[in-house]
Amino acid sequence: DVKVTQSSRYLVKRTGEKVFLECVQDMDHENMFWYRQDPGLGLRLIYFSYDVKMKEKGDIPEGYSVSREKKERFSLILESASTNQTSMYLCASSPGQGRNTIYFGEGSWLTVV
Amino acid sequence: DAKTTQPTSMDCAEGRAANLPCNHSTISGNEYVYWYRQIHSQGPQYIIHGLKNNETNEMASLIITEDRKSSTLILPHATLRDTAVYYCIVRPTNSGNTPLVFGKGTRLSVIA
């Protein structure tokens, strides 16, 4: 089975803190994604990556950055957390090379106070 | 991605089959039908996908009409743990790294 693991399930951070959300997949997938999900707004794409050290902006990249130093790991960074970044963050991956099924992690609930 | 239409909510008795419909009348010839579900407070879970033939796996069956304009996800023996929001999505076969776009889905409530 495909496994996408997000390092933290629940976090509480203070405004202005730097926040790291880690994601690891164990199926050698090429593509990895970070979404956030908010009530009434559905899933919104923050960033995605189709290869090591490659990244592309999604629909809402402002206030976020990402890092993909190794194929299996995709990190989301909030440089200076703000209360409007309180949300559920979802990491996902897909095999690439014409195989397009996307698999999600369990989600990380971030509260910024 | 082609637009899909699903009922907002459905109920199903525990142990009975749950049949979730989806309309995708503007689907193109190179687009797959995907189904995901999201249980409260968890990440979306992949269920099944198909192009034009019916598909079955350990979780569900997918029935696609001959004209491909609609499909039905079947959970053969629904349990309380199947209570979730179910999303029907269509995506091109060559979508590569294109991210998913979820609609509002169908909220399935399995009742004891």
Side-chain angles (χ1 to χ4, degrees):
Chain A
D1 282 352
V2 175
K3 187 75 172 172
V4 180
T5 303
Q6 295 183 228
S7 57
S8 302
R9 191 85 170 95
Y10 301 96
L11 307 94
V12 179
K13 297 292 181 180
R14 295 192 180 278
T15 300
E17 274 193 81
K18 191 169 186 175
V19 181
F20 292 88
L21 299 178
E22 306 285 349
C23 176
V24 176
Q25 48 90 6
D26 65 356
M27 287 301 292
D28 201 37
H29 285 178
E30 293 184 353
N31 304 320
M32 297 189 74
F33 309 85
W34 274 106
Y35 291 86
R36 63 178 282 179
Q37 187 173 32
D38 302 285
L41 297 177
L43 277 177
R44 292 183 291 168
L45 180 68
I46 305 171
Y47 269 97
F48 65 98
S49 168
Y50 53 87
D51 201 354
V52 176
K53 296 191 186 295
M54 304 299 288
K55 60 185 179 184
E56 295 282 347
K57 292 181 180 179
D59 299 320
I60 51 164
E62 296 78 20
Y64 303 94
S65 62
V66 290
S67 172
R68 194 166 180 202
E69 296 296 318
K70 295 184 178 181
K71 191 174 186 180
E72 67 271 18
R73 188 179 297 271
F74 192 36
S75 303
L76 179 70
I77 304 152
L78 287 66
E79 295 289 342
S80 177
S82 63
T83 54
N84 64 9
Q85 292 178 310
T86 292
S87 185
M88 182 162 88
Y89 290 87
L90 289 162
C91 177
S93 72
S94 68
Q97 296 182 342
R99 294 172 295 148
N100 304 322
T101 302
I102 294 181
Y103 300 90
F104 287 84
E106 283 291 296
S108 297
W109 288 90
L110 172 66
T111 301
V112 183
V113 297
Chain B
D1 294 353
K3 183 177 174 57
T4 61
T5 305
Q6 299 177 252
T8 302
S9 63
M10 293 180 64
D11 292 340
C12 177
E14 189 179 19
R16 305 295 296 269
N19 297 286
L20 293 99
C22 179
N23 286 322
H24 31 79
S25 58
T26 60
I27 193 170
S28 300
N30 69 340
E31 289 182 314
Y32 278 89
V33 180
Y34 280 81
W35 283 84
Y36 283 78
R37 73 180 182 184
Q38 189 167 21
I39 296 168
H40 183 62
S41 299
Q42 297 182 22
Q45 179 186 22
Y46 164 76
I47 302 173
I48 199 167
H49 73 283
L51 186 62
K52 53 184 178 181
N53 297 321
N54 297 338
E55 302 287 344
T56 296
N57 63 20
E58 66 279 3
M59 289 182 68
S61 295
L62 174 60
I63 309 298
I64 302 173
T65 57
E66 194 168 338
D67 63 7
R68 301 205 329 118
K69 293 185 177 182
S70 66
S71 60
T72 302
L73 178 75
I74 301 172
L75 308 178
H77 305 287
T79 70
L80 298 178
R81 287 183 292 181
D82 292 322
T83 293
V85 179
Y86 287 78
Y87 297 98
C88 168
I89 301 151
V90 292
R91 298 183 79 218
T93 55
N94 60 348
S95 54
N97 55 22
T98 306
L100 280 175
V101 177
F102 282 15
K104 296 190 184 301
T106 297
R107 184 171 297 277
L108 174 69
S109 298
V110 180
I111 302 164

